[in-house]
Amino acid sequence: MLGTLFSMNNATNRRTAIPACIAIVVCVAVVVSILTVRRAAEREYASYETLCSLGAEGDDWVSLLEIFTGRPPIVQVEIPAEVPKETTFALLPDLRNLEALTLEYDSLTDRQLDTISELGLNALNFEGDFPTDSDISRLSRFRGVQFIDVPPGNLSSEAQKKVRALLSSSIIDFD
């Protein structure tokens, strides 16, 4: 009889232990996820503050993520030519919620263009002398960008036609 009670106790213990273990794993996963999101938000905000201290301007967005992170996601940044390119492109990858980017640089390397394309932007505005006619093929990395602004006079009319054909799914403004 004692053996039967002992084996029933083990079965009951196993039945309650498994849900308890699952609950613990779920709780740990939630806490780790929140901490990861908070750390990314802190990195994003620190990068944004650094850019702003150098002359950049930007905007954030009210989001439910702010409940967990304590920081609103940065969605728009305007970076003047006075901000060193090295600093800009070292910090841009931390701005994971960025939707729109304005750059006033006169030239950009392939590596810098790759960094921009990896941001998954909706809008990209160039306000410097970039791009020029010789940069057209390099713009192909921005096929997923919905809106692109290029300063008037940067591209010849022939180059503008090529850019429109290359980025046919984008709305491109040359004015």
Side-chain angles (χ1 to χ4, degrees), residues 31-145:
V31 168
V32 168
S33 297
I34 290 172
L35 291 175
T36 302
V37 169
R38 283 185 68 91
R39 186 175 310 150
E42 290 298 325
R43 221 177 17 255
E44 176 183 46
Y45 208 77
S47 295
Y48 174 69
E49 284 181 332
T50 301
L51 287 170
C52 287
S53 73
L54 296 171
E57 296 179 0
D59 198 11
D60 55 32
W61 201 346
V62 176
S63 169
L64 290 178
L65 227 68
E66 193 174 348
I67 294 170
F68 299 110
T69 64
R71 302 274 190 200
I74 308 303
V75 295
Q76 178 180 339
V77 176
E78 298 172 10
I79 302 174
E82 295 79 34
V83 177
K85 279 195 245 184
E86 298 77 24
T87 302
T88 295
F89 288 96
L91 298 174
L92 275 179
D94 290 335
L95 303 177
R96 302 311 281 161
N97 295 297
L98 201 59
E99 296 284 330
L101 176 63
T102 300
L103 296 169
E104 293 183 13
Y105 297 122
D106 292 334
S107 65
L108 295 169
T109 66
D110 284 334
R111 187 176 194 158
Q112 292 165 340
L113 293 173
D114 289 340
T115 299
I116 296 167
S117 70
E118 291 168 3
L119 294 173
L121 300 170
N122 283 331
L124 178 58
N125 306 309
F126 296 109
E127 292 190 356
D129 290 337
F130 183 86
T132 62
D133 288 2
S134 63
D135 297 313
I136 293 172
S137 64
R138 298 170 64 211
L139 297 177
S140 64
R141 35 177 75 79
F142 301 120
R143 283 197 172 100
V145 179

